[in-house]
Amino acid sequence: MVHSAYDSFELLNDCPTKIDAIESYGSKLLVGCSDGSLRIYGPDSSGADRSPPSDQHALRKEPYALERSVPGFSKRPLLSMEVLESRELLLSLSESIAFHRLPNLETLAVITKAKGANVYSWDDRRGFLCFARQKRVCIFRHDGGRGFVEVKDFGVPDTVKSMSWCGENICLGIRKEYMILNATNGALSEVFSSGKIAPPLVVALPSGELILGKENIGVFVDQNGKLLQADRIVWSEAPTVVVILMPYAIALFPRRVEIRSLRVPYPLIQTIVLQNARRLIKSKNSVVVALDNSVHGLFPVPLGAQIVQLTASGNFEEALALCKLLPPEDASLRAAKEGSIHIRYAHYLFENGCYEEAMEHFLASQVDITYVLSLYPSIVLPKTTVIPEPEKLMDLSQDASQLSRGSSGLSDDLDTMLPQLSESDESEALEFKKMSHNTLMALIKFLQKKRYSIVEKAAAEGTEEVVLDAVGDSFSSTRFKKSNKGRATISVNSAAREMAAILDTALLQALLLTGQTSAALELLKGLNYCDVKICEEILQKGNYYAALLELYRSNSMHREALKLLHQLVEESKSNQSQTELIQKFSPEAIIEYLKPLCGTDPMLVLEFSMLVLESCPTQTIELFLSGNIPADLVNSYLKQHAPNMQGRYLELMLAMNENGISGNLQNEMVQIYLSEVLEWYSELSAQNKWDEKDYSPTRKKLLSALESISGYNPEALLRRLPSDALFEERAILLGKMNQHELALSLYVHKLHVPELALAYCDRVYESVVHQSPAKSSGNIYLTLLQIYLNPQKTTKNFEKRITNLVSSPNTSTPKVGSTASVKGKGGRKKIAAIEGAEDLRITSSNTDSGRSDGDAEEFSEEGGSTIMLDQVHDLLGRRWDRINGAQALKLLPRETKLQNLLPFMGPLLKRSSEAYRNLAVIKSLRQSENLQVKDELYNQRKAVVKISSDSMCSLCNKKIGTSVFAVYPNGKTLVHFVCFRDSQSMKAVAKGSPLRKR
């Protein structure tokens, strides 16, 4: 029984070099040539009559042209290649095994241990690679990234000629016998000998079983090497390669290709003569045969048969089996006949109560789902403009209507029989319910199997329309669109989407009628085309609220869904006995629904989040933060609708990302804190209970915010502070305005906390050091020193200065690091030299540079305030390393005892002495290094060059003789001076040539 199972088509015939390996990747051919290059061929699109292919990722039955050539792809000729589609990788075997990323052929990994390997096998499910090298079998595992990890390495008795994975084991063809290798422990078990002439051949079947070649016979074994059946495939001779493309086995011989059926008794179906065939590989939809310089594609012919007698006699199984084996004369006629057989068989099974088997044949007949749904009149379907294809019903013109009536009569009675039966006999009613349930379950399985292809076509059609609209296709203007309650607009003539709407609407109803509410919910959660009007009515009547919410969500009807959710939440609150509603529809359900909408419709999120803001404040604010809704938008909305939550939102926003909150929002948050603190202050002041050392939680937040953030306006905040309280806040704000003297005066004279003043100086010093390390920042301590030494001057007109500072539009803020020259005399000049006083000077605004040692007397003349000498000594002792010693000594009163300055002067003089000694050592080392360099220079100048009669020029290779010569710095290379000059000229010309070209 021989027929044409495959059509041979020459894909290319002009490969300039000999083909060693071939593989297909999508619709392209990857050809490995004997010169080590990789040539990529694609369909030749130059032909004007080429029709668009049904599958863009499969080989096409048309001539192929060279698209790209990769020279030097491998150093040695390729032995074989394999495309790993699931991982987008190309596996090639040459001198070793290499993996390249597709489609750009980027080298992913090279297994150096596979050098010298002659055969391999890839397990795509687990990502395992096994290969044989000499008498070793190695197993590697792909780690999912760019590398491979060695798993096992086993020794075998002899060289491996063929191998294949079989489950967890590996079948090896070793010389003249087959063995099963346990990939876990390396145990070997013999199967049988492979023959005396032909090499061993291991072929894996899709079922996991194996065909092992023994001369010209193919033996079937399982994964453990046990024989499966007595029948064998008998080839005309021993094949070199066998590939499986169900339901056929295709074998390669030197001069032909044999195609045999995999059904017992494995008859020869077709022989294709191809001279010098070298390689045979299986593609997605075809078989590729490589010759020396050409490539042929074997494309399958659609299977089918017209077995009238078997169909008429009711032997449907035999008829279908023959249809699968015998090719028809006309492909369209074959499809109609085969479909007719399936439909007739399906009606027969349906009438006899075999509902699931009937649906299997309806599915195989490729009949429209509307035809099957006509057997279920209780299912409500949307109106459709789809016209059934006439060729599918061509063979049913005589008896299909009769069969349909006979079968639908059973369904017509589904609604009327139940009451009648219940009145007569309850057992019969129960049996009828069971039958009705079985019919619906069979329908569900049928629709689920049909759904993937129909939904895929509908989605592809929608994508095509979006592309056409984007590029302004001329045909898009003729497509009329209608709205579907929030779903993306669909065209009236969208046949695929109308069919998908019919299928999903019917499937949802069947699932609900059989009590599979969870499956109905899963259907609505994914991509679906349920008719909104019909499904909404059904779900509302049945109180399927969760499914109704998913219906609204899938159709982008978010406002309707949120209204329903809010209604359900309110009903749950009013009726506490409905524990199920409370669990399903709590306020958190609204928040969960809003999360995906933050990026698409933030205003809708803000609108409905107000409904649950009071009951779930933390979760709602986290929704704003995690949803990346613009902070300014949320803040303005909260300010208008929920001002009491505004501060909490800004707190969490700042804690989450300090840089993610703008200066305006920082300023607003500080203003909110300040308003609460002022209100708290007013209440305590009215009760005469105010104490500057009291700290409420809000005041602690205010102080922390004032210190940590910098986006607020300190002048505006300073105007709001009372004049007789909140001195710590005032000091921080003055510090932000660089009014360090006023800020320190508050810490010292108002708050009376020198530790806060010292901490303030440390912050200023460290901030200046981090920003500009080379800049002096020690003057802030001198400012504090002045405040301690002259209390009355710093407190004089204090409030007036602050008032003028706030009211002045252009406040001048002297910087701590500004410098002015200071002159000293005597010992103080030496101390200034020790510390580098020329680099560390203070401003005249901070220190009175003209004050002498006797200026301490002016303190007593200006007022009776006591100099804070204890604080001065403490400051100098604790921060001696940050204070300019010369300036500090100049500020001190002359009656200051030297003993009190020991904590300050001791470490200062010690550090200066150490620095002086270190610099002296460095200076000596520099001088010694200078002498060494000079000595080396003198030695280099003493070099002697001897010219003999054998001395040759390194450039022209002629003798030097008595000519003028030059010596290279290495002292050995000799050249004629003329040659040296010419070479330098050539270099200059070479360097200047690009400029002349420009």
Side-chain angles (χ1 to χ4, degrees):
M1 190 178 297
V2 179
H3 65 276
S4 296
Y6 286 85
D7 287 337
S8 176
F9 185 84
E10 189 175 41
L11 300 178
L12 63 96
N13 59 1
D14 57 351
C15 186
T17 56
K18 191 175 181 180
I19 298 176
D20 285 333
I22 191 166
E23 181 60 304
S24 66
Y25 174 60
S27 62
K28 302 183 184 300
L29 283 175
L30 309 179
V31 179
C33 300
S34 58
D35 59 356
S37 64
L38 180 69
R39 301 171 69 85
I40 302 175
Y41 291 86
D44 189 2
S45 58
S46 60
D49 58 344
R50 302 292 180 202
S51 59
S54 58
D55 191 351
Q56 297 289 343
H57 302 287
L59 292 179
R60 304 182 192 176
K61 193 176 180 180
E62 56 185 78
Y64 272 58
L66 180 64
E67 289 186 354
R68 179 185 173 193
S69 179
V70 183
F73 182 77
S74 63
K75 296 181 180 179
R76 295 182 181 178
L78 290 171
L79 298 179
S80 62
M81 291 188 299
E82 183 177 349
V83 170
L84 314 179
E85 290 185 0
S86 62
R87 302 169 189 265
E88 290 293 318
L89 297 177
L90 173 63
L91 186 156
S92 60
L93 172 61
S94 180
E95 61 177 355
S96 60
I97 294 178
F99 289 84
H100 295 80
R101 182 80 65 184
L102 291 174
N104 56 7
L105 295 178
E106 173 194 358
T107 301
L108 180 71
V110 176
I111 301 180
T112 57
K113 192 172 182 178
K115 187 174 183 180
N118 62 317
V119 65
Y120 74 91
S121 181
W122 169 259
D123 185 354
D124 192 67
R125 180 179 63 87
R126 299 182 299 162
F128 274 51
L129 170 71
C130 65
F131 59 86
R133 179 175 58 90
Q134 296 175 356
K135 296 182 180 181
R136 306 294 297 180
V137 173
C138 302
I139 302 175
F140 281 72
R141 175 178 55 83
H142 186 209
D143 62 1
R146 300 180 61 89
F148 286 77
V149 180
E150 183 176 357
V151 179
K152 297 289 184 181
D153 186 352
F154 301 115
V156 292
D158 210 334
T159 305
V160 179
K161 298 296 184 179
S162 180
M163 67 191 314
S164 177
W165 283 98
C166 49
E168 303 295 329
N169 301 326
I170 305 173
C171 183
L172 306 176
I174 302 177
R175 288 287 181 176
K176 296 181 181 181
E177 64 179 342
Y178 293 103
M179 306 186 78
I180 299 296
L181 173 66
N182 189 314
T184 303
N185 55 24
L188 288 170
S189 59
E190 297 183 1
V191 182
F192 55 80
S193 60
S194 62
K196 298 180 180 180
I197 302 175
L201 179 63
V202 182
V203 181
L205 292 173
S207 60
E209 300 166 353
L210 300 171
I211 299 178
L212 304 182
K214 187 171 184 178
E215 302 298 354
N216 65 327
I217 299 175
V219 182
F220 290 87
V221 298
D222 63 7
Q223 295 182 359
N224 297 319
K226 296 182 180 180
L227 296 179
L228 292 176
Q229 54 197 29
D231 298 295
R232 307 284 188 265
I233 294 181
V234 181
W235 308 97
S236 59
E237 58 179 298
T240 57
V241 180
V242 176
V243 298
I244 305 299
L245 194 61
M246 299 299 292
Y248 299 108
I250 301 98
L252 176 68
F253 301 92
R255 297 183 180 180
R256 66 187 181 279
V257 174
E258 285 188 7
I259 302 171
R260 290 184 178 269
S261 172
L262 285 175
R263 290 173 58 89
V264 179
Y266 313 110
L268 175 65
I269 302 298
Q270 187 178 1
T271 300
I272 300 175
V273 178
L274 292 173
Q275 297 291 335
N276 299 324
R278 295 169 50 82
R279 294 287 185 269
L280 177 70
I281 60 107
K282 178 176 66 174
S283 180
K284 183 178 182 181
N285 66 331
S286 58
V287 177
V288 181
V289 183
L291 282 65
D292 287 338
N293 298 94
S294 61
V295 177
H296 288 254
L298 304 184
F299 296 88
V301 175
L303 299 176
Q306 308 291 328
I307 311 298
V308 178
Q309 294 181 356
L310 288 174
T311 304
S313 62
N315 294 324
F316 300 107
E317 290 288 349
E318 292 296 329
L320 290 173
L322 292 178
C323 285
K324 294 177 180 178
L325 293 176
L326 298 176
E329 296 290 337
D330 189 316
S332 60
L333 181 62
R334 179 206 57 81
K337 284 294 182 181
E338 192 175 33
S340 173
I341 297 172
H342 279 295
I343 291 174
R344 291 179 183 180
Y345 194 18
H347 279 285
Y348 172 81
L349 294 171
F350 196 88
E351 290 176 351
N352 287 275
C354 300
Y355 305 114
E356 291 191 9
E357 292 85 349
M359 291 302 161
E360 289 294 333
H361 287 280
F362 276 130
L363 184 67
S365 68
Q366 299 296 321
V367 71
D368 287 338
I369 59 174
T370 53
Y371 182 85
V372 179
L373 290 173
S374 64
L375 305 176
Y376 298 83
S378 59
I379 301 292
V380 182
L381 301 178
K383 295 181 180 180
T384 176
T385 60
V386 177
I387 301 175
E389 298 180 11
E391 61 271 13
K392 289 186 178 181
L393 303 178
M394 181 177 62
D395 196 59
L396 301 173
S397 57
Q398 296 181 356
D399 55 354
S401 60
Q402 182 179 358
L403 290 171
S404 179
R405 284 196 302 272
S407 299
S408 62
L410 178 65
S411 300
D412 292 338
D413 294 335
L414 291 179
D415 297 328
T416 59
M417 288 178 64
L418 183 58
Q420 296 174 0
L421 291 173
S422 63
E423 294 175 1
S424 60
D425 193 353
E426 293 183 0
S427 62
E428 293 182 6
L430 183 62
E431 185 67 24
F432 176 80
K433 288 182 179 179
K434 181 179 179 181
M435 180 185 66
S436 177
H437 181 272
N438 292 339
T439 58
L440 289 173
M441 290 298 295
L443 176 64
I444 289 172
K445 293 181 179 180
F446 168 77
L447 294 177
Q448 288 175 340
K449 291 178 180 179
K450 293 282 291 185
R451 188 174 186 273
Y452 176 77
S453 60
I454 293 178
V455 171
E456 187 180 31
K457 290 179 181 178
E461 195 174 74
T463 304
E464 180 184 358
E465 284 191 0
V466 171
V467 173
L468 290 177
D469 291 341
V471 300
D473 192 271
S474 59
F475 294 100
S476 62
S477 60
T478 63
R479 293 174 176 255
F480 299 97
K481 313 242 170 157
K482 64 179 181 180
S483 176
N484 192 12
K485 280 192 180 182
R487 184 188 292 281
T489 56
I490 65 173
S491 60
V492 174
N493 60 350
S494 173
R497 277 178 283 178
E498 285 190 0
M499 191 61 66
I502 294 173
L503 187 149
D504 282 348
T505 305
L507 179 58
L508 180 66
Q509 294 178 67
L511 290 172
L512 294 176
L513 289 173
T514 54
Q516 302 183 60
T517 53
S518 59
L521 195 61
E522 291 299 322
L523 171 66
L524 293 170
K525 285 183 178 181
L527 175 65
N528 68 88
Y529 291 85
C530 292
D531 185 271
V532 177
K533 185 176 180 181
I534 295 175
C535 296
E536 182 181 20
E537 182 179 355
I538 293 173
L539 294 172
Q540 286 177 348
K541 288 182 179 179
N543 295 331
Y544 299 111
Y545 297 119
L548 183 57
L549 287 172
E550 291 300 331
L551 177 68
Y552 288 147
R553 189 202 304 268
S554 63
N555 289 275
S556 300
M557 301 169 63
H558 303 300
R559 186 172 294 276
E560 289 80 358
L562 290 167
K563 287 181 180 178
L564 175 62
L565 258 180
H566 180 58
Q567 177 185 347
L568 295 172
V569 170
E570 294 300 322
E571 291 178 359
S572 302
K573 292 180 180 178
S574 61
N575 191 354
Q576 296 296 332
S577 62
Q578 298 180 359
T579 56
E580 183 178 357
L581 279 177
I582 295 174
Q583 293 175 358
K584 285 189 176 181
F585 305 110
S586 60
E588 287 79 4
I590 297 179
I591 296 176
E592 290 297 323
Y593 190 97
L594 291 173
K595 284 181 179 180
L597 303 179
C598 293
T600 57
D601 197 347
M603 293 306 299
L604 185 67
V605 174
L606 292 174
E607 177 184 349
F608 282 90
S609 63
M610 296 299 108
L611 303 176
V612 293
L613 184 59
E614 292 185 2
S615 57
C616 304
T618 305
Q619 295 93 323
T620 307
I621 293 177
E622 289 178 355
L623 170 69
F624 299 149
L625 299 176
S626 62
N628 293 325
I629 302 178
D632 293 327
L633 180 62
V634 177
N635 181 67
S636 61
Y637 204 89
L638 290 175
K639 189 175 184 180
Q640 182 178 0
H641 296 87
N644 58 326
M645 302 299 298
Q646 186 183 5
R648 188 170 180 180
Y649 166 73
L650 293 175
E651 286 178 12
L652 292 175
M653 187 71 183
L654 186 65
M656 186 176 184
N657 184 7
E658 183 176 353
N659 298 325
I661 183 171
S662 63
N664 293 333
L665 294 182
Q666 293 181 12
N667 187 63
E668 192 156 352
M669 184 181 71
V670 175
Q671 293 283 2
I672 293 173
Y673 288 158
L674 182 58
S675 298
E676 295 182 10
V677 171
L678 290 176
E679 183 179 354
W680 172 66
Y681 163 73
S682 300
E683 293 176 359
L684 294 181
S685 297
Q687 302 173 7
N688 294 325
K689 296 181 180 179
W690 170 251
D691 186 355
E692 190 67 31
K693 297 182 180 180
D694 290 340
Y695 293 94
S696 66
T698 306
R699 190 184 182 190
K700 292 179 180 178
K701 292 181 182 179
L702 175 62
L703 291 172
S704 176
L706 291 176
E707 291 181 357
S708 60
I709 64 178
S710 59
Y712 58 85
N713 184 2
E715 291 86 351
L717 296 174
L718 197 59
R719 295 189 187 100
R720 297 184 59 188
L721 293 178
S723 58
D724 57 344
L726 302 177
F727 295 116
E728 189 170 352
E729 289 82 348
R730 186 187 298 272
I732 296 174
L733 292 173
L734 289 172
K736 293 290 184 179
M737 299 169 62
N738 287 333
Q739 296 295 328
H740 304 300
E741 182 180 355
L742 295 176
L744 290 173
S745 298
L746 284 174
Y747 285 124
V748 174
H749 301 304
K750 292 292 185 181
L751 295 173
H752 306 289
V753 185
E755 288 297 328
L756 290 179
L758 182 60
Y760 178 88
C761 292
D762 292 339
R763 290 197 302 271
V764 174
Y765 177 87
E766 291 170 0
S767 64
V768 174
V769 169
H770 291 159
Q771 292 176 3
S772 53
K775 188 174 181 180
S776 173
S777 55
N779 292 335
I780 185 66
Y781 295 101
L782 295 177
T783 303
L784 180 59
L785 196 63
Q786 284 183 317
I787 293 173
Y788 286 152
L789 293 174
N790 196 350
Q792 183 175 357
K793 182 178 180 181
T794 55
T795 56
K796 188 177 182 181
N797 298 326
F798 179 76
E799 297 297 338
K800 184 176 180 181
R801 291 170 63 187
I802 296 180
T803 303
N804 295 337
L805 180 67
V806 175
S807 61
S808 176
N810 297 323
T811 305
S812 61
T813 57
K815 298 181 180 179
V816 176
S818 58
T819 60
S821 60
V822 178
K823 297 181 181 179
K825 297 180 181 179
R828 293 202 179 117
K829 185 173 182 181
K830 294 180 180 178
I831 296 176
I834 294 174
E835 289 220 45
E838 66 277 1
D839 293 328
L840 301 173
R841 297 190 174 99
I842 59 175
T843 60
S844 58
S845 60
N846 290 335
T847 60
D848 188 0
S849 59
R851 186 183 302 275
S852 62
D853 293 342
D855 288 340
E857 298 175 356
E858 297 180 7
F859 297 142
S860 58
E861 296 174 2
E862 291 176 357
S865 300
T866 305
I867 298 176
M868 305 170 68
L869 281 179
D870 293 337
Q871 286 79 2
V872 170
H873 296 155
D874 181 70
L875 173 62
L876 292 175
R878 296 172 64 179
R879 297 294 182 269
W880 61 269
D881 55 334
R882 299 183 178 184
I883 300 177
N884 188 311
Q887 298 297 331
L889 290 175
K890 190 170 184 180
L891 292 175
L892 292 175
R894 58 187 178 184
E895 57 269 2
T896 302
K897 296 181 179 180
L898 187 60
Q899 182 179 0
N900 296 332
L901 296 179
L902 284 178
F904 169 63
M905 296 294 295
L908 182 63
L909 292 174
K910 181 178 180 181
R911 185 183 64 177
S912 301
S913 301
E914 289 179 355
Y916 178 80
R917 288 194 299 270
N918 292 338
L919 291 175
V921 172
I922 293 173
K923 180 180 178 182
S924 301
L925 292 175
R926 296 295 186 189
Q927 291 177 350
S928 176
E929 184 180 3
N930 185 28
L931 293 175
Q932 292 177 2
V933 172
K934 287 182 178 181
D935 183 63
E936 184 178 356
L937 177 62
Y938 296 151
N939 292 333
Q940 292 294 332
R941 288 179 176 177
K942 293 179 181 180
V944 177
V945 178
K946 294 182 179 181
I947 304 297
S948 65
S949 58
D950 297 330
S951 300
M952 304 290 290
C953 175
S954 298
L955 293 177
C956 66
N957 293 325
K958 296 181 180 179
K959 293 185 177 181
I960 298 294
T962 59
S963 302
V964 180
F965 63 90
V967 183
Y968 278 89
N970 59 9
K972 297 180 180 180
T973 305
L974 302 176
V975 294
H976 290 108
F977 180 76
V978 176
C979 297
F980 172 75
R981 184 179 57 191
D982 293 342
S983 65
Q984 295 299 315
S985 301
M986 291 174 64
K987 289 182 181 179
V989 171
K991 291 181 179 179
S993 57
L995 296 175
R996 290 197 296 270
K997 288 180 182 180
R998 295 178 184 172

